[in-house]
Amino acid sequence: MSPPVSPEWTSIGTFNRLADAEELQSHLQSEGVAARVYDERSLQKFWFWVHPKAGIHVQVDKTQVETAEKLFQAKETLWMRAVRCPECGSSRVQYPAVTRKNMLPAILDHVFTLVGLFPAAYYCESCQFTWNRPHRDSIKDLKSPDSPLPSKGIQSN
């Protein structure tokens, strides 16, 4: 008898607010899709030295990604609150655009960001696009009263 296979978690949605991620997790679970919320805001703040943004991810087993993404996109109000790539529309976004698998590039990127050579950027896992500004749909969430981020200093264009 083989041991049970543990899920290989893959992010399908990125949010600025925990409540939004928990709402998606609950929706997916009610539809029979195993999901979890992964909150990396403290990692962003203390390891990547950036103001936490796009740090709450909803993850599903990689075998259920297609089903979960369809369910997510069908829930339009929640889909609109997700942080999404301006190039392809995916919500599989990382911030900052630093590898989480290899320490040396991450350390070098930190140094370059701190001295102002590289701005902290968003990274799309779906199309590999990088950008420096939040997606227009995310700005209102960054300013929301229950967001962990202060509302001053964030400008929408």
Side-chain angles (χ1 to χ4, degrees), residues 41-145:
R41 290 176 295 180
S42 60
L43 175 70
Q44 290 176 334
K45 185 175 180 181
F46 297 112
W47 174 237
F48 294 125
W49 302 322
V50 295
H51 211 18
K53 299 178 204 172
I56 306 166
H57 306 278
V58 176
Q59 299 177 327
V60 299
D61 186 279
K62 74 175 192 172
T63 61
Q64 295 184 306
V65 167
E66 189 175 321
T67 301
E69 285 181 338
K70 286 178 184 174
L71 290 168
F72 180 22
Q73 291 174 14
K75 193 128 170 103
E76 191 173 322
T77 56
L78 193 55
W79 175 249
M80 293 302 293
R81 293 191 306 256
V83 177
R84 296 193 320 272
C85 173
E87 188 72 16
C88 73
S90 171
S91 186
R92 297 184 60 224
V93 174
Q94 291 290 333
Y95 179 85
V98 174
T99 181
R100 276 107 169 120
K101 297 178 182 178
N102 188 333
M103 294 299 292
L104 184 59
I107 291 170
L108 290 173
D109 191 54
H110 292 319
V111 171
F112 293 147
T113 300
L114 286 173
V115 298
L117 294 176
F118 295 152
Y122 293 82
Y123 172 76
C124 178
E125 294 178 331
S126 295
C127 71
Q128 291 75 47
F129 184 68
T130 58
W131 70 100
N132 293 331
R133 295 179 161 271
H135 188 275
R136 61 179 165 70
D137 293 332
S138 302
I139 291 171
K140 68 180 183 311
D141 292 331
L142 288 172
K143 292 182 180 180
S144 72

Side-chain angles (χ1 to χ4, degrees), residues 19-37 58 71 75 78:
D20 293 334
E22 288 172 339
E23 183 180 339
L24 177 58
Q25 177 190 25
S26 176
H27 174 64
L28 292 173
Q29 289 174 338
S30 72
E31 296 290 333
V33 176
R36 74 175 186 179
V37 172
V58 176
L71 290 168
K75 193 128 170 103
L78 193 55

